[in-house]
Amino acid sequence: MPRVSQDHLDARRRQILDGARACFARYGYEGATVRRLEEATGLSRGAIFHHFRDKESLFLALAEDDALRMADVVAKQGLVQVMRDLLLVQEPSTEEHPADWLGTRLEVSRRLRTDPEFRARWAERSSQLTRATRERLLRQREAGNLRDDVDVTVLTSFLELVLEGLVSHLAMGLPADDLGPVLDVVEETVRRQRRTP
Amino acid sequence: MPRVSQDHLDARRRQILDGARACFARYGYEGATVRRLEEATGLSRGAIFHHFRDKESLFLALAEDDALRMADVVAKQGLVQVMRDLLLVQEPSTEEHPADWLGTRLEVSRRLRTDPEFRARWAERSSQLTRATRERLLRQREAGNLRDDVDVTVLTSFLELVLEGLVSHLAMGLPADDLGPVLDVVEETVRRQRRTP
């Protein structure tokens, strides 16, 4: 029954990642002890570290998993939609949190700043989002929706810089309820033509 | 001779701030011990804490001083110029570092993320840059240089978000040598009219 086994392994892996995501988001990397990871996943340390070599590997797998899910939204709806999803997280009334990757993203940003070893390990894995953003922009250009006076590489960096600013803004606990119109400006900047007033 | 005394006090205060800026930038807030602050300023702890109540007050005064100097550049040349200055810091060949406030700004960002008490104390002082940015944009609008289909508040937030993204980008040690054209896009976004290719 290799198929069933693989399904079972995948489900277990997903269970660990989902629990660990909540745990890292709540306690930060250092605060997410093995005991708290056990509680959050509902699994023993033996089960957890059967799937992931150590806490660092678990965190990297989670960060990679979240980056792939972000890249998926980018491919379908663009990086500005990812940023709009981040704003939703701030609204307490929202039951669904499409951007549950914010916690992971904040931890990645923090560790990139403080941990050169992590920076080296993450560098290889961080390209998915850039690639997804760039590919979507190229498709948009082909469809005639993108401005054509600026290189796609520059527009990709522009969107990534704004995303990083937004993540930092949220991490500092600054108010974000007025940022919707700012993201409209960002979106319009990469579009073909400026709307006339 | 009250005038001479005041000049002397001001010079001493400047000496402390300049030494402390380098010290905080190099070691971070926690790492900037009193002993290191003594070495960096060339003054005894007695002299330092004659001017500033404690390390926290010294750091807040420094952050406020740097924010005022940034606001000064913003008033004269705009926030995009502040960002261009930040890119210069990255170039090892540059002898002059117009953005020596980057170290302080990084520490402010980090502590805002991790220290709610600091967040409260900083909130009162952080409005200079926003005000300077907003006032410059209003002047630019009057001069007919600014786009007039978007509120100045939104454009101010847009520029601040990009600045925060840039600070975070540099803090993570990511390459910044290709960001000049990105800042061109940012600058052009707030201007009156899009350049045609």
mmCIF file of all heavy atoms in Angstrom, chain A residues 112-113 119 147 149 154 157-158 161 164-165 168 171-172 181-182 185-186 188-189 191-192 194-195 197, chain B residues 112-113 119 147 149 154 157-158 161 164-165 168 171-172 182 185-186 188-189 191-192 194-195 197:
data_model
loop_
_atom_site.group_PDB
_atom_site.id
_atom_site.type_symbol
_atom_site.label_atom_id
_atom_site.label_comp_id
_atom_site.label_asym_id
_atom_site.label_seq_id
_atom_site.Cartn_x
_atom_site.Cartn_y
_atom_site.Cartn_z
ATOM 1 N N LEU A 112 16.534 36.856 9.242
ATOM 2 C CA LEU A 112 17.445 37.325 8.185
ATOM 3 C C LEU A 112 18.274 38.494 8.679
ATOM 4 O O LEU A 112 19.424 38.675 8.295
ATOM 5 C CB LEU A 112 16.642 37.747 6.951
ATOM 6 C CG LEU A 112 16.096 36.624 6.069
ATOM 7 C CD1 LEU A 112 15.179 37.189 4.996
ATOM 8 C CD2 LEU A 112 17.235 35.843 5.424
ATOM 9 N N ARG A 113 17.675 39.306 9.547
ATOM 10 C CA ARG A 113 18.386 40.471 10.071
ATOM 11 C C ARG A 113 19.424 40.088 11.101
ATOM 12 O O ARG A 113 20.451 40.730 11.224
ATOM 13 C CB ARG A 113 17.383 41.451 10.700
ATOM 14 C CG ARG A 113 16.816 42.449 9.721
ATOM 15 C CD ARG A 113 15.962 43.461 10.444
ATOM 16 N NE ARG A 113 14.709 42.874 10.882
ATOM 17 C CZ ARG A 113 13.577 42.922 10.184
ATOM 18 N NH1 ARG A 113 13.531 43.528 9.038
ATOM 19 N NH2 ARG A 113 12.489 42.358 10.638
ATOM 20 N N ARG A 119 20.506 33.276 7.090
ATOM 21 C CA ARG A 119 20.464 34.034 5.845
ATOM 22 C C ARG A 119 21.000 33.195 4.693
ATOM 23 O O ARG A 119 20.431 33.163 3.609
ATOM 24 C CB ARG A 119 21.313 35.309 6.015
ATOM 25 C CG ARG A 119 20.998 36.402 5.037
ATOM 26 C CD ARG A 119 21.915 37.591 5.249
ATOM 27 N NE ARG A 119 21.622 38.329 6.463
ATOM 28 C CZ ARG A 119 22.362 39.317 6.933
ATOM 29 N NH1 ARG A 119 23.455 39.683 6.289
ATOM 30 N NH2 ARG A 119 22.041 39.940 8.042
ATOM 31 N N ARG A 147 2.459 48.344 -17.704
ATOM 32 C CA ARG A 147 3.183 49.427 -18.357
ATOM 33 C C ARG A 147 4.402 48.838 -19.061
ATOM 34 O O ARG A 147 5.009 47.881 -18.567
ATOM 35 C CB ARG A 147 3.588 50.497 -17.345
ATOM 36 C CG ARG A 147 4.532 50.002 -16.307
ATOM 37 C CD ARG A 147 4.724 50.991 -15.183
ATOM 38 N NE ARG A 147 5.460 52.163 -15.633
ATOM 39 C CZ ARG A 147 5.764 53.175 -14.834
ATOM 40 N NH1 ARG A 147 5.384 53.154 -13.563
ATOM 41 N NH2 ARG A 147 6.428 54.207 -15.300
ATOM 42 N N ASP A 149 7.114 50.797 -20.208
ATOM 43 C CA ASP A 149 8.261 51.708 -20.252
ATOM 44 C C ASP A 149 9.283 51.408 -19.164
ATOM 45 O O ASP A 149 10.288 52.094 -19.054
ATOM 46 C CB ASP A 149 7.786 53.171 -20.134
ATOM 47 C CG ASP A 149 7.014 53.422 -18.845
ATOM 48 O OD1 ASP A 149 6.381 52.465 -18.343
ATOM 49 O OD2 ASP A 149 7.040 54.556 -18.339
ATOM 50 N N VAL A 154 12.628 45.594 -12.697
ATOM 51 C CA VAL A 154 12.479 46.774 -11.833
ATOM 52 C C VAL A 154 11.109 46.771 -11.165
ATOM 53 O O VAL A 154 10.987 47.027 -9.957
ATOM 54 C CB VAL A 154 12.689 48.071 -12.653
ATOM 55 C CG1 VAL A 154 12.359 49.302 -11.817
ATOM 56 C CG2 VAL A 154 14.120 48.148 -13.163
ATOM 57 N N SER A 157 11.077 44.208 -8.349
ATOM 58 C CA SER A 157 11.761 44.725 -7.159
ATOM 59 C C SER A 157 10.919 45.776 -6.462
ATOM 60 O O SER A 157 10.890 45.844 -5.225
ATOM 61 C CB SER A 157 13.109 45.350 -7.542
ATOM 62 O OG SER A 157 13.951 44.394 -8.112
ATOM 63 N N PHE A 158 10.248 46.616 -7.236
ATOM 64 C CA PHE A 158 9.367 47.637 -6.658
ATOM 65 C C PHE A 158 8.290 46.974 -5.798
ATOM 66 O O PHE A 158 8.099 47.349 -4.629
ATOM 67 C CB PHE A 158 8.742 48.475 -7.785
ATOM 68 C CG PHE A 158 7.601 49.357 -7.353
ATOM 69 C CD1 PHE A 158 7.833 50.487 -6.571
ATOM 70 C CD2 PHE A 158 6.296 49.054 -7.709
ATOM 71 C CE1 PHE A 158 6.773 51.302 -6.161
ATOM 72 C CE2 PHE A 158 5.233 49.858 -7.303
ATOM 73 C CZ PHE A 158 5.475 50.983 -6.525
ATOM 74 N N LEU A 161 9.722 45.434 -2.646
ATOM 75 C CA LEU A 161 10.129 46.447 -1.661
ATOM 76 C C LEU A 161 8.905 46.943 -0.872
ATOM 77 O O LEU A 161 8.966 47.125 0.344
ATOM 78 C CB LEU A 161 10.806 47.612 -2.385
ATOM 79 C CG LEU A 161 11.796 48.454 -1.584
ATOM 80 C CD1 LEU A 161 12.950 47.616 -1.089
ATOM 81 C CD2 LEU A 161 12.328 49.607 -2.441
ATOM 82 N N GLU A 164 7.857 44.265 1.586
ATOM 83 C CA GLU A 164 8.724 44.246 2.761
ATOM 84 C C GLU A 164 8.389 45.410 3.694
ATOM 85 O O GLU A 164 8.396 45.271 4.912
ATOM 86 C CB GLU A 164 10.190 44.309 2.316
ATOM 87 C CG GLU A 164 11.171 43.863 3.375
ATOM 88 C CD GLU A 164 10.802 42.554 4.022
ATOM 89 O OE1 GLU A 164 10.553 41.563 3.313
ATOM 90 O OE2 GLU A 164 10.727 42.535 5.270
ATOM 91 N N GLY A 165 8.090 46.577 3.110
ATOM 92 C CA GLY A 165 7.670 47.712 3.925
ATOM 93 C C GLY A 165 6.392 47.425 4.676
ATOM 94 O O GLY A 165 6.255 47.766 5.855
ATOM 95 N N SER A 168 7.052 45.002 7.544
ATOM 96 C CA SER A 168 7.723 45.715 8.626
ATOM 97 C C SER A 168 6.733 46.618 9.369
ATOM 98 O O SER A 168 6.727 46.676 10.601
ATOM 99 C CB SER A 168 8.867 46.529 8.030
ATOM 100 O OG SER A 168 9.629 47.141 9.021
ATOM 101 N N ALA A 171 4.638 44.518 11.524
ATOM 102 C CA ALA A 171 5.438 43.978 12.626
ATOM 103 C C ALA A 171 5.637 45.008 13.728
ATOM 104 O O ALA A 171 5.763 44.672 14.898
ATOM 105 C CB ALA A 171 6.797 43.512 12.105
ATOM 106 N N MET A 172 5.656 46.297 13.329
ATOM 107 C CA MET A 172 5.854 47.342 14.324
ATOM 108 C C MET A 172 4.539 47.732 14.989
ATOM 109 O O MET A 172 4.524 48.627 15.841
ATOM 110 C CB MET A 172 6.505 48.559 13.662
ATOM 111 C CG MET A 172 7.939 48.276 13.240
ATOM 112 S SD MET A 172 8.837 49.764 12.733
ATOM 113 C CE MET A 172 8.239 49.982 11.075
ATOM 114 N N PRO A 181 -5.914 52.506 0.093
ATOM 115 C CA PRO A 181 -5.662 53.438 -1.011
ATOM 116 C C PRO A 181 -4.184 53.492 -1.419
ATOM 117 O O PRO A 181 -3.871 53.759 -2.579
ATOM 118 C CB PRO A 181 -6.104 54.798 -0.441
ATOM 119 C CG PRO A 181 -7.067 54.457 0.651
ATOM 120 C CD PRO A 181 -6.581 53.170 1.232
ATOM 121 N N VAL A 182 -3.276 53.239 -0.466
ATOM 122 C CA VAL A 182 -1.849 53.196 -0.803
ATOM 123 C C VAL A 182 -1.575 52.020 -1.751
ATOM 124 O O VAL A 182 -0.843 52.156 -2.742
ATOM 125 C CB VAL A 182 -0.987 53.084 0.471
ATOM 126 C CG1 VAL A 182 0.489 52.927 0.120
ATOM 127 C CG2 VAL A 182 -1.190 54.315 1.357
ATOM 128 N N VAL A 185 -2.522 52.802 -5.222
ATOM 129 C CA VAL A 185 -1.468 53.543 -5.915
ATOM 130 C C VAL A 185 -0.381 52.592 -6.421
ATOM 131 O O VAL A 185 0.094 52.694 -7.558
ATOM 132 C CB VAL A 185 -0.839 54.624 -4.992
ATOM 133 C CG1 VAL A 185 0.429 55.211 -5.610
ATOM 134 C CG2 VAL A 185 -1.847 55.731 -4.697
ATOM 135 N N VAL A 186 -0.008 51.630 -5.567
ATOM 136 C CA VAL A 186 1.024 50.654 -5.934
ATOM 137 C C VAL A 186 0.582 49.843 -7.153
ATOM 138 O O VAL A 186 1.338 49.669 -8.124
ATOM 139 C CB VAL A 186 1.316 49.713 -4.744
ATOM 140 C CG1 VAL A 186 2.209 48.554 -5.172
ATOM 141 C CG2 VAL A 186 1.967 50.499 -3.605
ATOM 142 N N GLU A 188 -1.664 50.562 -9.395
ATOM 143 C CA GLU A 188 -1.815 51.404 -10.573
ATOM 144 C C GLU A 188 -0.447 51.756 -11.167
ATOM 145 O O GLU A 188 -0.311 51.942 -12.373
ATOM 146 C CB GLU A 188 -2.579 52.655 -10.117
ATOM 147 C CG GLU A 188 -2.955 53.613 -11.197
ATOM 148 C CD GLU A 188 -2.505 54.992 -10.781
ATOM 149 O OE1 GLU A 188 -1.284 55.278 -10.862
ATOM 150 O OE2 GLU A 188 -3.358 55.774 -10.338
ATOM 151 N N THR A 189 0.572 51.793 -10.297
ATOM 152 C CA THR A 189 1.921 52.144 -10.757
ATOM 153 C C THR A 189 2.479 51.133 -11.748
ATOM 154 O O THR A 189 3.218 51.496 -12.659
ATOM 155 C CB THR A 189 2.877 52.273 -9.548
ATOM 156 O OG1 THR A 189 2.409 53.338 -8.718
ATOM 157 C CG2 THR A 189 4.301 52.576 -9.981
ATOM 158 N N ARG A 191 0.538 49.187 -13.612
ATOM 159 C CA ARG A 191 -0.424 48.988 -14.708
ATOM 160 C C ARG A 191 -0.074 49.810 -15.935
ATOM 161 O O ARG A 191 0.698 50.749 -15.880
ATOM 162 C CB ARG A 191 -1.815 49.399 -14.232
ATOM 163 C CG ARG A 191 -2.465 48.332 -13.391
ATOM 164 C CD ARG A 191 -3.881 48.104 -13.843
ATOM 165 N NE ARG A 191 -4.558 47.224 -12.877
ATOM 166 C CZ ARG A 191 -5.486 47.651 -12.039
ATOM 167 N NH1 ARG A 191 -5.851 48.908 -12.035
ATOM 168 N NH2 ARG A 191 -6.044 46.803 -11.206
ATOM 169 N N ARG A 192 -0.768 49.484 -17.007
ATOM 170 C CA ARG A 192 -0.465 50.090 -18.305
ATOM 171 C C ARG A 192 -0.611 51.605 -18.272
ATOM 172 O O ARG A 192 0.273 52.327 -18.692
ATOM 173 C CB ARG A 192 -1.375 49.531 -19.388
ATOM 174 C CG ARG A 192 -0.988 50.074 -20.758
ATOM 175 C CD ARG A 192 -1.613 49.313 -21.889
ATOM 176 N NE ARG A 192 -1.034 49.712 -23.148
ATOM 177 C CZ ARG A 192 0.149 49.314 -23.591
ATOM 178 N NH1 ARG A 192 0.878 48.511 -22.862
ATOM 179 N NH2 ARG A 192 0.606 49.732 -24.755
ATOM 180 N N ARG A 194 -2.048 55.258 -16.306
ATOM 181 C CA ARG A 194 -2.579 55.952 -15.140
ATOM 182 C C ARG A 194 -4.026 56.343 -15.407
ATOM 183 O O ARG A 194 -4.343 56.884 -16.461
ATOM 184 C CB ARG A 194 -1.735 57.198 -14.857
ATOM 185 C CG ARG A 194 -2.338 58.072 -13.800
ATOM 186 C CD ARG A 194 -1.376 59.144 -13.407
ATOM 187 N NE ARG A 194 -0.213 58.588 -12.716
ATOM 188 C CZ ARG A 194 0.758 59.346 -12.219
ATOM 189 N NH1 ARG A 194 0.711 60.651 -12.352
ATOM 190 N NH2 ARG A 194 1.761 58.787 -11.591
ATOM 191 N N ARG A 195 -4.879 56.048 -14.404
ATOM 192 C CA ARG A 195 -6.269 56.510 -14.515
ATOM 193 C C ARG A 195 -6.270 58.024 -14.506
ATOM 194 O O ARG A 195 -5.566 58.650 -13.717
ATOM 195 C CB ARG A 195 -7.096 56.017 -13.326
ATOM 196 C CG ARG A 195 -7.481 54.564 -13.428
ATOM 197 C CD ARG A 195 -8.190 54.156 -12.180
ATOM 198 N NE ARG A 195 -7.327 54.407 -11.020
ATOM 199 C CZ ARG A 195 -7.279 53.631 -9.960
ATOM 200 N NH1 ARG A 195 -8.041 52.575 -9.893
ATOM 201 N NH2 ARG A 195 -6.502 53.919 -8.950
ATOM 202 N N PRO A 197 -8.094 61.515 -13.546
ATOM 203 C CA PRO A 197 -9.047 61.857 -12.481
ATOM 204 C C PRO A 197 -10.427 62.229 -13.037
ATOM 205 O O PRO A 197 -10.552 62.588 -14.176
ATOM 206 C CB PRO A 197 -8.407 63.077 -11.804
ATOM 207 C CG PRO A 197 -7.413 63.597 -12.780
ATOM 208 C CD PRO A 197 -6.998 62.481 -13.654
ATOM 209 N N LEU B 112 10.879 48.831 17.910
ATOM 210 C CA LEU B 112 9.433 48.991 17.747
ATOM 211 C C LEU B 112 8.758 47.635 17.610
ATOM 212 O O LEU B 112 7.631 47.440 18.057
ATOM 213 C CB LEU B 112 9.121 49.840 16.507
ATOM 214 C CG LEU B 112 9.345 51.341 16.640
ATOM 215 C CD1 LEU B 112 9.170 52.023 15.289
ATOM 216 C CD2 LEU B 112 8.374 51.948 17.652
ATOM 217 N N ARG B 113 9.466 46.692 16.985
ATOM 218 C CA ARG B 113 8.899 45.370 16.790
ATOM 219 C C ARG B 113 8.887 44.564 18.075
ATOM 220 O O ARG B 113 8.021 43.742 18.296
ATOM 221 C CB ARG B 113 9.695 44.598 15.720
ATOM 222 C CG ARG B 113 9.220 44.858 14.299
ATOM 223 C CD ARG B 113 9.969 43.949 13.329
ATOM 224 N NE ARG B 113 11.337 44.414 13.153
ATOM 225 C CZ ARG B 113 11.725 45.248 12.204
ATOM 226 N NH1 ARG B 113 10.873 45.691 11.334
ATOM 227 N NH2 ARG B 113 12.975 45.634 12.111
ATOM 228 N N ARG B 119 7.789 51.370 22.036
ATOM 229 C CA ARG B 119 6.825 51.777 21.026
ATOM 230 C C ARG B 119 6.002 52.962 21.519
ATOM 231 O O ARG B 119 5.769 53.931 20.801
ATOM 232 C CB ARG B 119 5.908 50.591 20.712
ATOM 233 C CG ARG B 119 5.237 50.665 19.369
ATOM 234 C CD ARG B 119 4.298 49.492 19.173
ATOM 235 N NE ARG B 119 5.011 48.254 18.925
ATOM 236 C CZ ARG B 119 4.432 47.056 18.868
ATOM 237 N NH1 ARG B 119 3.128 46.957 19.061
ATOM 238 N NH2 ARG B 119 5.144 45.986 18.632
ATOM 239 N N ARG B 147 1.183 64.868 -8.641
ATOM 240 C CA ARG B 147 -0.085 64.398 -9.213
ATOM 241 C C ARG B 147 -1.224 64.898 -8.323
ATOM 242 O O ARG B 147 -1.075 64.996 -7.090
ATOM 243 C CB ARG B 147 -0.097 62.884 -9.319
ATOM 244 C CG ARG B 147 -0.006 62.170 -7.989
ATOM 245 C CD ARG B 147 0.229 60.694 -8.151
ATOM 246 N NE ARG B 147 -0.938 60.028 -8.699
ATOM 247 C CZ ARG B 147 -0.995 58.716 -8.930
ATOM 248 N NH1 ARG B 147 0.053 57.960 -8.660
ATOM 249 N NH2 ARG B 147 -2.068 58.168 -9.435
ATOM 250 N N ASP B 149 -4.518 63.607 -8.461
ATOM 251 C CA ASP B 149 -5.670 62.701 -8.410
ATOM 252 C C ASP B 149 -5.637 61.811 -7.175
ATOM 253 O O ASP B 149 -6.525 60.983 -6.983
ATOM 254 C CB ASP B 149 -5.707 61.838 -9.686
ATOM 255 C CG ASP B 149 -4.441 61.004 -9.848
ATOM 256 O OD1 ASP B 149 -3.364 61.455 -9.365
ATOM 257 O OD2 ASP B 149 -4.511 59.917 -10.432
ATOM 258 N N VAL B 154 -2.311 59.912 1.312
ATOM 259 C CA VAL B 154 -2.053 58.598 0.708
ATOM 260 C C VAL B 154 -0.643 58.560 0.114
ATOM 261 O O VAL B 154 0.097 57.587 0.308
ATOM 262 C CB VAL B 154 -3.104 58.279 -0.377
ATOM 263 C CG1 VAL B 154 -2.744 57.003 -1.130
ATOM 264 C CG2 VAL B 154 -4.495 58.156 0.253
ATOM 265 N N SER B 157 1.888 58.235 2.930
ATOM 266 C CA SER B 157 1.950 56.852 3.434
ATOM 267 C C SER B 157 2.669 55.950 2.437
ATOM 268 O O SER B 157 3.422 55.041 2.830
ATOM 269 C CB SER B 157 0.545 56.299 3.682
ATOM 270 O OG SER B 157 -0.118 57.050 4.648
ATOM 271 N N PHE B 158 2.427 56.176 1.160
ATOM 272 C CA PHE B 158 3.091 55.382 0.122
ATOM 273 C C PHE B 158 4.618 55.527 0.240
ATOM 274 O O PHE B 158 5.349 54.535 0.299
ATOM 275 C CB PHE B 158 2.613 55.842 -1.265
ATOM 276 C CG PHE B 158 3.433 55.332 -2.414
ATOM 277 C CD1 PHE B 158 3.386 53.995 -2.786
ATOM 278 C CD2 PHE B 158 4.262 56.193 -3.132
ATOM 279 C CE1 PHE B 158 4.148 53.524 -3.851
ATOM 280 C CE2 PHE B 158 5.030 55.721 -4.195
ATOM 281 C CZ PHE B 158 4.973 54.385 -4.551
ATOM 282 N N LEU B 161 5.969 53.850 3.349
ATOM 283 C CA LEU B 161 5.955 52.391 3.243
ATOM 284 C C LEU B 161 7.165 51.903 2.443
ATOM 285 O O LEU B 161 7.818 50.917 2.817
ATOM 286 C CB LEU B 161 4.649 51.949 2.569
ATOM 287 C CG LEU B 161 4.139 50.537 2.873
ATOM 288 C CD1 LEU B 161 3.876 50.354 4.361
ATOM 289 C CD2 LEU B 161 2.872 50.241 2.077
ATOM 290 N N GLU B 164 10.272 52.209 4.602
ATOM 291 C CA GLU B 164 10.342 51.126 5.579
ATOM 292 C C GLU B 164 10.787 49.831 4.901
ATOM 293 O O GLU B 164 11.565 49.064 5.473
ATOM 294 C CB GLU B 164 8.980 50.955 6.264
ATOM 295 C CG GLU B 164 9.032 50.192 7.569
ATOM 296 C CD GLU B 164 10.120 50.688 8.507
ATOM 297 O OE1 GLU B 164 10.151 51.901 8.794
ATOM 298 O OE2 GLU B 164 10.953 49.870 8.940
ATOM 299 N N GLY B 165 10.297 49.603 3.676
ATOM 300 C CA GLY B 165 10.727 48.428 2.917
ATOM 301 C C GLY B 165 12.214 48.475 2.624
ATOM 302 O O GLY B 165 12.927 47.478 2.748
ATOM 303 N N SER B 168 14.225 47.804 5.800
ATOM 304 C CA SER B 168 14.167 46.376 6.105
ATOM 305 C C SER B 168 15.060 45.585 5.143
ATOM 306 O O SER B 168 15.803 44.683 5.560
ATOM 307 C CB SER B 168 12.706 45.917 6.001
ATOM 308 O OG SER B 168 12.574 44.597 6.411
ATOM 309 N N ALA B 171 18.559 46.064 6.132
ATOM 310 C CA ALA B 171 18.806 45.383 7.408
ATOM 311 C C ALA B 171 19.008 43.884 7.198
ATOM 312 O O ALA B 171 19.714 43.230 7.960
ATOM 313 C CB ALA B 171 17.642 45.620 8.367
ATOM 314 N N MET B 172 18.342 43.334 6.169
ATOM 315 C CA MET B 172 18.474 41.906 5.915
ATOM 316 C C MET B 172 19.718 41.600 5.091
ATOM 317 O O MET B 172 19.976 40.446 4.775
ATOM 318 C CB MET B 172 17.224 41.388 5.203
ATOM 319 C CG MET B 172 16.000 41.417 6.111
ATOM 320 S SD MET B 172 14.572 40.563 5.421
ATOM 321 C CE MET B 172 13.969 41.775 4.286
ATOM 322 N N VAL B 182 14.333 51.415 -9.231
ATOM 323 C CA VAL B 182 13.099 51.226 -8.464
ATOM 324 C C VAL B 182 12.695 52.551 -7.815
ATOM 325 O O VAL B 182 11.518 52.934 -7.833
ATOM 326 C CB VAL B 182 13.273 50.129 -7.393
ATOM 327 C CG1 VAL B 182 12.036 50.017 -6.513
ATOM 328 C CG2 VAL B 182 13.585 48.787 -8.042
ATOM 329 N N VAL B 185 11.026 54.797 -10.217
ATOM 330 C CA VAL B 185 9.598 54.485 -10.364
ATOM 331 C C VAL B 185 8.808 55.110 -9.215
ATOM 332 O O VAL B 185 7.740 55.699 -9.415
ATOM 333 C CB VAL B 185 9.373 52.949 -10.405
ATOM 334 C CG1 VAL B 185 7.883 52.600 -10.281
ATOM 335 C CG2 VAL B 185 9.936 52.366 -11.691
ATOM 336 N N VAL B 186 9.351 55.003 -7.989
ATOM 337 C CA VAL B 186 8.677 55.557 -6.810
ATOM 338 C C VAL B 186 8.512 57.072 -6.954
ATOM 339 O O VAL B 186 7.432 57.629 -6.728
ATOM 340 C CB VAL B 186 9.477 55.225 -5.527
ATOM 341 C CG1 VAL B 186 8.931 55.984 -4.325
ATOM 342 C CG2 VAL B 186 9.456 53.727 -5.267
ATOM 343 N N GLU B 188 8.573 58.895 -9.658
ATOM 344 C CA GLU B 188 7.697 59.232 -10.776
ATOM 345 C C GLU B 188 6.222 59.005 -10.409
ATOM 346 O O GLU B 188 5.336 59.689 -10.917
ATOM 347 C CB GLU B 188 8.138 58.358 -11.958
ATOM 348 C CG GLU B 188 7.441 58.613 -13.239
ATOM 349 C CD GLU B 188 6.957 57.305 -13.798
ATOM 350 O OE1 GLU B 188 5.925 56.801 -13.291
ATOM 351 O OE2 GLU B 188 7.593 56.779 -14.704
ATOM 352 N N THR B 189 5.993 58.046 -9.489
ATOM 353 C CA THR B 189 4.619 57.727 -9.098
ATOM 354 C C THR B 189 3.926 58.900 -8.403
ATOM 355 O O THR B 189 2.713 59.089 -8.541
ATOM 356 C CB THR B 189 4.616 56.493 -8.161
ATOM 357 O OG1 THR B 189 5.131 55.383 -8.890
ATOM 358 C CG2 THR B 189 3.211 56.162 -7.663
ATOM 359 N N ARG B 191 4.816 62.076 -8.892
ATOM 360 C CA ARG B 191 4.910 63.261 -9.748
ATOM 361 C C ARG B 191 3.664 63.473 -10.573
ATOM 362 O O ARG B 191 2.839 62.599 -10.732
ATOM 363 C CB ARG B 191 6.100 63.104 -10.712
ATOM 364 C CG ARG B 191 7.426 63.347 -10.059
ATOM 365 C CD ARG B 191 8.259 64.337 -10.856
ATOM 366 N NE ARG B 191 9.599 64.417 -10.294
ATOM 367 C CZ ARG B 191 10.670 63.855 -10.846
ATOM 368 N NH1 ARG B 191 10.556 63.170 -11.966
ATOM 369 N NH2 ARG B 191 11.851 63.979 -10.281
ATOM 370 N N ARG B 192 3.630 64.664 -11.177
ATOM 371 C CA ARG B 192 2.433 65.069 -11.899
ATOM 372 C C ARG B 192 2.093 64.135 -13.040
ATOM 373 O O ARG B 192 0.984 63.661 -13.159
ATOM 374 C CB ARG B 192 2.589 66.494 -12.456
ATOM 375 C CG ARG B 192 1.302 66.979 -13.105
ATOM 376 C CD ARG B 192 1.328 68.471 -13.376
ATOM 377 N NE ARG B 192 0.006 68.921 -13.777
ATOM 378 C CZ ARG B 192 -0.993 69.106 -12.917
ATOM 379 N NH1 ARG B 192 -0.822 68.873 -11.641
ATOM 380 N NH2 ARG B 192 -2.175 69.509 -13.348
ATOM 381 N N ARG B 194 3.168 60.852 -15.783
ATOM 382 C CA ARG B 194 4.045 59.762 -16.159
ATOM 383 C C ARG B 194 4.811 60.132 -17.412
ATOM 384 O O ARG B 194 4.242 60.619 -18.379
ATOM 385 C CB ARG B 194 3.204 58.512 -16.414
ATOM 386 C CG ARG B 194 4.015 57.364 -16.967
ATOM 387 C CD ARG B 194 3.212 56.106 -17.012
ATOM 388 N NE ARG B 194 2.941 55.595 -15.671
ATOM 389 C CZ ARG B 194 2.287 54.472 -15.442
ATOM 390 N NH1 ARG B 194 1.800 53.781 -16.437
ATOM 391 N NH2 ARG B 194 2.092 54.057 -14.212
ATOM 392 N N ARG B 195 6.130 59.890 -17.351
ATOM 393 C CA ARG B 195 6.934 60.097 -18.552
ATOM 394 C C ARG B 195 6.504 59.115 -19.621
ATOM 395 O O ARG B 195 6.274 57.940 -19.331
ATOM 396 C CB ARG B 195 8.417 59.863 -18.250
ATOM 397 C CG ARG B 195 9.076 61.006 -17.529
ATOM 398 C CD ARG B 195 10.491 60.618 -17.217
ATOM 399 N NE ARG B 195 10.498 59.393 -16.428
ATOM 400 C CZ ARG B 195 11.344 59.159 -15.441
ATOM 401 N NH1 ARG B 195 12.245 60.043 -15.128
ATOM 402 N NH2 ARG B 195 11.297 58.024 -14.784
ATOM 403 N N PRO B 197 7.424 56.811 -22.813
ATOM 404 C CA PRO B 197 8.673 56.177 -23.253
ATOM 405 C C PRO B 197 9.188 56.771 -24.561
ATOM 406 O O PRO B 197 8.442 57.343 -25.309
ATOM 407 C CB PRO B 197 8.284 54.713 -23.445
ATOM 408 C CG PRO B 197 6.799 54.697 -23.594
ATOM 409 C CD PRO B 197 6.277 55.915 -22.862
#
